[in-house]
Amino acid sequence: MTAEHYLGLTGARTMPTTALQLTQRAVNDLVELQAMGVVYGPAGSGKTFAWQTAVATVDVPVCAVQFPSRPSMLRVAQVLLGRLSGRIPKGSRFALSDELLDLLSERPRLVVVDEAQWLNRDCIEYVRHLHDDPATKFALLLVGGNGCWEVLEREAMLRSRLFRRVAFAPMSADAVLRVIPNYHQLYTGVDPELLLLIDDVFAHGYFREWATFTHTAQHVCEDRDTPLDEAITRAVFALHDGGADAGR
Amino acid sequence: MLVDDVHVVTDAQDTLACARWFGRWHDLDRGRITVRLAPPATRRSVARDILRSLGKRLTLPESPGQTVHLWPLVEVWLAAEQVRHVFVLRAHLLDDDALERLLTACEAARAAPWLIVAAPAPPAEMMTVLDQVLLNPWGDSDLRSRIRTFEQTAADEGTPPKRRRVEEPRPWPLLPDDEFWSFRLTCDELLSDADFDRVDAEMLVGRMIALEWIERRASQQRSRTDALVVDELHGLLAGVCASAATPGQKLARLRGAQIALFLAGALVHIPANALSVLATNATAALDRRATTLLRGFASTHLAAAGALALASGQPPRHLQALNIDSLSDDVSQISGHGRLYPIPFYARGLIRAHRVTRGHQAAASDPLFRAEQDPAQRISVAALQKMLVRVANATGLALNADLAQYGRGADHWPLEDFVSVELLETGRQR
C-alpha cells in the first residue's frame, strides 16, 4: 500500500512531522508485538496519510478496512473475511468467525480499521475477541476521526489493551511556518505572512486543507505563469469559498 | 452443582493481563481449557466457543445437511478429554440461558467452571442464576463471599505453567547405530541439546507405553517374564511404532521400550538398519500433530475412526470388527486381530469420546462403529472405508483406508523379520 496525497496532489513532499514519525514507530511496534493501537484526531489532520505511509514499510500483509456507520457484528465479519480471503463470504456469523479466526491465525498481519469511531460496543467487543484469541497473529491499528478516542476510551476492554496511541491535531502557526515551505515547491520563498493568511482563512492547520489549497493554487499559478502571491491566494479562496469577496 | 465447585473472578479493569493469565492455564492434556466467549454469548454461540477451545474446527464438512446439536457434543467432549477446569473469559457476556446450560454441561462432565467477569462485580443477573442453580447445603458458604478479584486469584493460584512449545517440523536428527544399552548415552554425546531432548522425549514415550503394558500384565497376576509371549511383544512394538511419525522417532521409541522390556526380563534386539524398513511404512502416525487434526472433528465417530486407524495401522476390514469392549478400561490400548495396540495418552480423549457416545446409546459390548442408516447394525467395511477417506480428505492425514496399498497385507508388521526376542529367564529365543 502506498500513501497518496489528498486529491492526488503532485509535487508534495512527505513531511516528517512528529505525529507522522510517532505513527511510523507505533505501526512498527504493533506489528512486532502483534499488539493493538490507535491513531486518532480530527478529520484532515493527516492520519490517513500517516498510517498509509507507515504501513508501506512493514513486511507483513496489510488488510485495511472501513465499515459503514454502526455496522453489525455480521457485517464486520463479512467485510474482514471478504478482504482477507478475496471472495464474497457466505454463512452465519458463527461460521464466518471460525473462518476468520483460522485465516487470522495463518500468518502475521496488520489489520487497519479506518473510521473506528463508527464501531459500536458489540463490534468493538467482536474485534477484541478476534484479537485476544491466542491463535491469531495480527496487529490491529484503529484509526479514527472526530469522537474516536472518546468512543474507544469508554471501553475498558480496549483502553487496557492499547499498546500505542498517537493523537493528531491541527498544526499550530509555528508549525505551519516550519513545515509548509518544505511541503511543496509552490511555497518556496513565499512570505510567511502570506502562509499565515492562507492558514487563517483556509487551512486552519489541517493538511487536507493545505493539500486542497495547493492543488488549486498550483493550477492557477500555471495558468497565469506566476508564483504564488496574495492575488492568486485570494483567487483560490474565491474558487473554494464561493465568490470574489471570500477571505477578505 | 455445589456452590463450592464454581469460581467467580472479577477483573475490574478488563485487562489483557487477566485474559493472558487465564489463557496460560489452557492445557487440554492436563484437563484445563480456557474458553473465549464471542459476543453476544448466547446458548448456541457459547457451545461453539467451548468446542473451539476443545480443538474442534466446526468448519469441517462433518455432517453435510444435518443439524448438529452442540451441547450434547460439548458434554461428551468435556468428559472424554477429562476436563476438570473450564475457565470462561468475559463471562459477564453470558445470557441467563447460556449460563445455565454451561453450568449443566460442566456438572455433567464434573468440571469446575471459572466465571471470569470483566467488571468490578458480577452482573446481578448472573448472581441470580447462580443462586437458583447452585446447591448450598452448608448455608454458611455464600457464593458472594467467595468471589475473588483477578489479583487475589493470581496470588492464590500461583504462576501458570509455561505453555509447551509447539512442535516444529524440524528434520529428525541422524541417530547412532547403538543398541538400546548405549543408545541414549551416544545420542547425548553426538547430538545438540535440542535434538537430544527430542530423542529423549520419544524414548520416554516408548518406555511409558511398554511400562503400561508390563504393568497391565502384572495386574493380571501373571508372571512378569514367563508370560511374555513373543507374538504379543511384536504387537506391543508395532504399537509403539504406530503412533510415531518418522523412522527416527520410531527407533527412539523402540529403544525406550527395549529398556523397559529388558528390566522386565525380555531382551529385544532391533538392528539400526531396521530404520530403512520403518521408512517404507506409508501411513501417517498418531502423533501430536495428527491428534490435533483429528481433534478438529466434533463428531466422535470420525475422530475415533481416524485415531484408531493411525494407532493400529489396520485396514477398514479389521477396524470394522472392533467392539466397544475391545478398548481397555482406561483407553490406553485396543485389542484387535490378535494384537494389542497402545494409544498415546494425548490421543485417548478422541477414542474415549466415541465410547462415551456409544455408552449414551446404551451400547456396552456392541460394535464400536455402527451403521449410519441402521444403528443396530455393525458398520460395513465399505462405509468405514468411506468414513476414513472422508477423514483423510479433511485432515490431509494418510490413513490406511485401503488394504490394497500394502503388498503383504496391512496386518503384517514390517519389522517382524528383523527383531529378535529373548526371554531372559527361560532362555527361549526366536
Side-chain angles (χ1 to χ4, degrees):
Chain A
M1 177 174 282
T2 314
E4 213 177 68
H5 289 276
Y6 187 61
L7 298 173
L9 178 66
T10 55
R13 299 185 189 97
T14 299
M15 303 311 300
T17 60
T18 305
L20 185 128
Q21 292 180 71
L22 284 173
T23 304
Q24 181 71 66
R25 174 63 190 264
V27 165
N28 291 344
D29 291 346
L30 296 182
V31 168
E32 186 184 337
L33 299 171
Q34 292 169 4
M36 192 188 291
V38 59
V39 170
Y40 67 96
S45 54
K47 301 181 303 295
T48 302
F49 184 81
W51 75 254
Q52 287 180 348
T53 302
V55 304
T57 62
V58 300
D59 56 3
V60 296
V62 178
C63 169
V65 289
Q66 184 177 318
F67 304 108
S69 184
R70 304 175 70 81
S72 64
M73 282 186 278
L74 175 63
R75 182 74 182 138
V76 170
Q78 285 172 333
V79 170
L80 269 174
L81 191 56
R83 190 60 59 86
L84 287 167
S85 67
R87 58 181 174 75
I88 299 168
K90 289 177 186 167
S92 68
R93 177 163 55 82
F94 301 131
L96 298 186
S97 294
D98 285 348
E99 262 191 83
L100 252 183
L101 287 168
D102 289 344
L103 265 175
L104 291 169
S105 306
E106 276 178 359
R107 55 185 301 186
R109 296 174 192 274
L110 170 63
V111 173
V112 181
V113 177
D114 208 355
E115 305 297 356
Q117 74 276 7
W118 291 347
L119 297 175
N120 58 23
R121 183 174 208 167
D122 282 347
C123 294
I124 291 173
E125 180 83 57
Y126 184 67
V127 173
R128 178 215 54 74
H129 169 70
L130 297 174
H131 190 259
D132 266 10
D133 192 293
T136 60
K137 300 173 182 169
F138 68 101
L140 177 63
L141 178 66
L142 301 166
V143 182
N146 296 328
C148 177
W149 178 243
E150 289 74 13
V151 168
L152 301 183
E153 192 189 24
R154 277 200 297 270
E155 304 297 340
M157 70 181 115
L158 284 189
R159 212 172 45 231
S160 66
R161 286 165 171 75
L162 290 172
F163 182 62
R164 289 284 180 263
R165 174 158 77 98
V166 181
F168 277 70
M171 286 182 286
S172 64
D174 284 349
V176 166
L177 293 179
R178 200 169 54 249
V179 169
I180 296 302
N182 297 313
Y183 173 58
H184 198 280
Q185 61 179 8
L186 191 72
Y187 302 112
T188 307
V190 168
D191 182 357
E193 286 301 321
L194 184 57
L195 295 180
L196 290 176
L197 174 70
I198 299 167
D199 197 55
D200 283 347
V201 174
F202 193 93
H204 312 296
Y206 288 98
F207 262 112
R208 183 179 296 172
E209 303 306 330
W210 272 103
T212 305
F213 180 90
T214 308
H215 191 274
T216 307
Q218 197 177 14
H219 285 293
V220 176
C221 288
E222 280 170 12
D223 287 348
R224 298 190 184 179
D225 198 22
T226 58
L228 183 67
D229 57 16
E230 187 171 342
I232 289 178
T233 298
R234 294 204 181 276
V236 174
F237 291 165
L239 279 169
H240 281 281
D241 289 347
D245 291 338
R248 286 190 186 278
Chain B
M1 177 172 277
L2 296 176
V3 68
D4 290 354
D5 294 332
V6 177
H7 303 261
V8 180
V9 178
T10 60
D11 176 29
Q13 298 304 312
D14 195 352
T15 58
L16 185 59
C18 176
R20 284 189 173 155
W21 191 83
F22 278 103
R24 282 166 61 194
W25 284 99
H26 179 93
D27 189 340
L28 202 48
D29 286 345
R30 294 190 168 88
R32 300 189 299 257
I33 59 166
T34 302
V35 181
R36 295 162 194 277
L37 298 184
T42 58
R43 187 180 169 108
R44 186 163 175 80
S45 75
V46 172
R48 293 183 70 94
D49 292 335
I50 297 173
L51 287 171
R52 188 169 177 97
S53 69
L54 284 162
K56 310 297 158 212
R57 294 162 57 88
L58 295 172
T59 46
L60 285 178
E62 296 189 39
S63 307
Q66 289 180 21
T67 305
V68 181
H69 297 289
L70 297 180
W71 278 103
L73 282 175
V74 168
E75 289 181 358
V76 164
W77 281 107
L78 282 176
E81 299 282 13
Q82 300 183 324
V83 173
R84 293 290 165 263
H85 297 276
V86 179
F87 302 105
V88 183
L89 286 168
R90 307 188 75 72
H92 59 283
L93 297 174
L94 290 163
D95 66 27
D96 294 357
D97 194 26
L99 175 58
E100 272 193 59
R101 194 63 188 85
L102 169 74
L103 295 173
T104 305
C106 285
E107 185 176 25
R110 297 180 187 172
W114 291 62
L115 305 173
I116 299 121
V117 299
E125 297 82 3
M126 173 184 277
M127 296 310 294
T128 305
V129 171
L130 292 175
D131 284 338
Q132 286 169 352
V133 170
L134 300 179
L135 298 173
N136 191 358
W138 303 281
D140 55 349
S141 178
D142 181 32
L143 180 67
R144 283 162 185 78
S145 67
R146 298 177 64 248
I147 295 172
R148 290 184 292 173
T149 63
F150 164 55
E151 291 76 12
Q152 284 170 333
T153 309
D156 292 348
E157 306 295 335
T159 310
K162 278 189 178 172
R163 190 170 288 186
R164 272 193 295 275
R165 286 176 58 192
V166 178
E167 287 176 62
E168 291 171 13
R170 285 187 297 141
W172 193 254
L174 197 62
L175 299 179
D177 291 342
D178 297 45
E179 253 295 358
F180 72 91
W181 46 82
S182 58
F183 179 79
R184 187 173 183 278
L185 192 65
T186 310
C187 285
D188 195 15
E189 286 171 358
L190 294 180
L191 304 179
S192 68
D193 288 351
D195 281 341
F196 174 74
D197 287 347
R198 294 171 75 197
V199 173
D200 202 32
E202 291 300 333
M203 286 186 75
L204 186 63
V205 170
R207 195 170 170 183
M208 292 304 295
I209 292 173
L211 276 175
E212 280 182 355
W213 183 80
I214 292 163
E215 282 170 11
R216 215 166 12 248
R217 294 184 64 81
S219 70
Q220 292 163 357
Q221 297 185 325
R222 295 162 72 178
S223 161
R224 298 189 74 186
T225 53
D226 288 349
L228 288 177
V229 181
V230 172
D231 277 351
E232 283 185 44
L233 265 174
H234 278 301
L236 166 70
L237 296 174
V240 166
C241 289
S243 59
T246 66
Q249 276 177 298
K250 290 177 201 282
L251 185 68
R253 285 192 183 192
L254 287 171
R255 296 294 186 231
Q258 283 176 278
I259 294 170
L261 291 167
F262 177 71
L263 295 175
L267 181 58
V268 179
H269 293 285
I270 303 173
N273 63 10
L275 269 176
S276 59
V277 178
L278 290 171
T280 63
N281 186 350
T283 54
L286 187 55
D287 56 11
R288 280 187 175 276
R289 179 181 162 275
T291 303
T292 302
L293 289 168
L294 292 171
R295 191 173 272 138
F297 289 108
S299 306
T300 62
H301 61 287
L302 295 175
L308 289 171
L310 291 180
S312 67
Q314 292 298 305
R317 69 184 169 89
H318 290 167
L319 296 180
Q320 179 254 4
L322 295 174
N323 292 324
I324 292 173
D325 57 9
S326 304
L327 289 164
S328 63
D329 288 345
D330 60 357
V331 202
S332 63
Q333 64 176 9
I334 186 155
S335 58
H337 199 60
R339 288 230 172 109
L340 289 174
Y341 297 98
I343 297 160
F345 71 91
Y346 48 77
R348 289 174 192 167
L350 301 176
I351 294 156
R352 204 182 288 120
H354 187 57
R355 190 170 68 178
V356 171
T357 303
R358 295 290 286 124
H360 288 169
Q361 294 158 351
S365 59
D366 290 353
L368 193 53
F369 298 104
R370 60 177 192 168
E372 208 166 312
Q373 305 303 330
D374 183 359
Q377 296 298 311
R378 183 180 294 277
I379 194 170
S380 67
V381 174
L384 188 55
Q385 191 172 34
K386 204 170 158 187
M387 199 157 90
L388 289 176
V389 169
R390 210 158 108 204
V391 173
N393 287 341
T395 58
L397 291 167
L399 300 177
N400 183 2
D402 183 359
L403 185 61
Q405 68 182 290
Y406 294 102
R408 299 181 60 182
D411 50 343
H412 176 82
W413 183 47
L415 270 189
E416 204 154 307
D417 301 338
F418 293 79
V419 174
S420 68
V421 178
E422 184 182 340
L423 301 182
L424 296 177
E425 288 190 6
T426 62
R428 283 181 292 150
Q429 189 163 5
R430 185 188 177 202

